[in-house]
Amino acid sequence: MKLFGIETSCDETAAAVVEDGVKVLSNVIASSIDLHQATGGVVPEVAAREHLKQISPVVDKALADAGCQWSDIDAIAVTTHPGLVASLLVGINTAQALAYIHQKPLVEVNHIYGHIYANFLERETAPQFPLLVLTVSGGHNELMLMKGYHDFEKLGETLDDAAGEAFDKVARLLGLGYPGGPIISKLAAEGDPRAFDFPRPMLDQENRLNFSFSGLKSAVRREVENLKEADDQTIRDLAASFEYAAIETLVDKLVLAAEEYNPKEVHLAGGVSANRLLRKMAREKLADNLPLYWPVEQIFCTDNAAMIAGAAYWQIKRNSL
Ligand code: KG4
Ligand code: ZN
């Protein structure tokens, strides 16, 4: 089954063709990140206008790259929520029009589930359930137990900022640009993660699988304000200490959940799953015999439409059972 996916929930205009939830035949992404550098974050109106410009060429290229005609496509999948409303509407309207013109079923996909199914793209072996998945991106931060292809139990979530959002806000605080994750991660490699002692929040019993990053963000802000002027090495040390605190919090909760729920595998998903320290620390702290996965390609970590077409396939399979 070949599905055509469309994703426009934030600042990436994306379209893709995926076969049977696994084989990526095309994956086209036009990002408006450059336009958001000056503001240190996404301005919804700017993002939506860019989607309007990009959506037609991106759709055409995704079909052409896959070597397909519309007659080869079984259904059209689109992200309907969560996301920036004006941005989502561009994708939804496009998908509805394509479905109408080419007489295809339309599949509505939740963006967070898209990130989760990104781990099945181009994967060569069948997943073993139950599996534990940590979804960490700019907008989402969740721990889920996945008991089957479409059977989820939410174990924990953020009570305020998502981890990626914290990376973005700290980068803005340090005057480093957008998106913060890759920039902080790069600087952190040359900094001392023990230079500043930042808090690792929410380790009490009741919230042991929930997350909160606003306290950590405020602690960085206080430190920056106290410093008044910071040299390049201090910025690197701040980046490294923040990254270490944020990632250790994520991994410690992942390990707690793994010990409690005994999954057969553990998955990292979403933009922050591209983070090298997260992958390394998760591997080190999880039991040696517990398989750990993250998206096969870096491009499947951040927003893309292949994950939406992939998720739609498993949704259709579930509904046809
Ligand atoms: O999944 P995504 O593209 O969009 C949302 O659904 O939010 O994730 C984007 C987020 C941004 O906050 C970005 O700073 C973060 O993922 N990110 C990273 C890295 N690459 C992207 N965070 C930490 N380390 C990275 N290497
Ligand atoms: Zn996302």
Side-chain angles (χ1 to χ4, degrees):
M1 188 188 292
K2 292 192 179 98
L3 299 189
F4 191 91
I6 295 179
E7 152 65 41
T8 62
S9 68
C10 191
D11 53 353
E12 269 92 21
T13 316
V17 180
V18 175
E19 190 168 7
D20 296 340
V22 175
K23 196 158 179 243
V24 180
L25 303 183
S26 67
N27 191 22
V28 180
I29 303 172
S31 174
S32 62
I33 278 181
D34 291 353
L35 296 176
H36 306 293
Q37 297 281 359
T39 41
V42 177
V43 178
E45 174 71 13
V46 175
R49 283 176 188 276
E50 263 321 283
H51 286 311
L52 280 172
K53 273 193 229 159
Q54 299 290 352
I55 192 74
S56 287
V58 164
V59 162
D60 290 347
K61 185 163 170 28
L63 195 67
D65 284 2
C68 289
Q69 313 285 326
W70 285 110
S71 54
D72 302 321
I73 301 295
D74 294 285
I76 293 169
V78 63
T79 306
T80 53
H81 64 294
L84 304 172
V85 172
S87 291
L88 285 166
L89 275 174
V90 177
I92 294 169
N93 286 343
T94 306
Q96 282 175 337
L98 289 170
Y100 179 74
I101 294 165
H102 302 291
Q103 291 294 293
K104 309 284 177 193
L106 185 67
V107 186
E108 299 184 0
V109 176
N110 177 315
H111 182 85
I112 304 175
Y113 289 99
H115 277 300
I116 291 175
Y117 289 102
N119 267 309
F120 296 1
L121 297 172
E122 299 294 346
R123 184 177 157 153
E124 281 164 6
T125 53
Q128 301 297 307
F129 299 108
L131 60 86
L132 181 65
V133 52
L134 173 69
T135 313
V136 262
S137 65
H140 330 290
N141 204 133
E142 285 172 357
L143 256 176
M144 298 235 214
L145 191 66
M146 194 173 178
K147 300 172 194 165
Y149 275 107
H150 219 285
D151 184 1
F152 295 94
E153 181 185 342
K154 193 192 280 182
L155 307 178
E157 63 189 331
T158 183
L159 303 184
D160 41 58
D161 293 353
E165 195 178 351
F167 273 88
D168 296 338
K169 287 180 176 168
V170 166
R172 186 158 21 156
L173 213 60
L174 299 175
L176 299 174
Y178 175 84
I183 306 172
I184 289 204
S185 186
K186 194 156 171 254
L187 283 178
E190 291 159 28
D192 176 3
R194 276 166 297 273
F196 297 90
D197 188 19
F198 290 133
R200 276 87 167 139
M202 308 290 281
L203 287 171
D204 59 291
Q205 183 58 20
E206 195 189 338
N207 280 308
R208 71 202 186 291
L209 299 183
N210 284 329
F211 304 85
S212 163
F213 288 99
S214 67
L216 173 57
K217 186 189 63 193
S218 303
V220 179
R221 175 180 292 120
R222 276 195 300 277
E223 207 57 66
V224 172
E225 284 165 1
N226 287 343
L227 283 168
K228 304 236 166 31
E229 229 179 298
D231 59 25
D232 286 353
Q233 189 54 43
T234 310
I235 299 276
R236 288 188 205 110
D237 291 345
L238 277 167
S241 303
F242 160 75
E243 183 185 52
Y244 204 87
I247 298 296
E248 192 170 58
T249 305
L250 291 171
V251 173
D252 285 353
K253 284 165 187 281
L254 187 65
V255 171
L256 272 178
E259 285 167 0
E260 194 169 329
Y261 291 91
N262 274 318
K264 297 217 172 77
E265 6 183 282
V266 174
H267 291 194
L268 306 174
V272 185
S273 69
N275 185 279
R276 268 185 291 166
L277 182 63
L278 174 62
R279 294 173 175 186
K280 183 168 167 275
M281 200 189 287
R283 187 55 287 164
E284 282 166 5
K285 289 198 179 193
L286 286 165
D288 287 346
N289 59 351
L290 187 53
L292 175 66
Y293 290 85
W294 50 74
V296 168
E297 288 184 26
Q298 199 81 348
I299 207 169
F300 301 153
C301 294
T302 43
D303 291 349
N304 64 88
M307 69 184 197
I308 302 304
Y313 172 77
W314 301 109
Q315 258 174 249
I316 292 171
K317 286 264 286 190
R318 177 200 53 176
N319 291 338
S320 62
L321 287 178

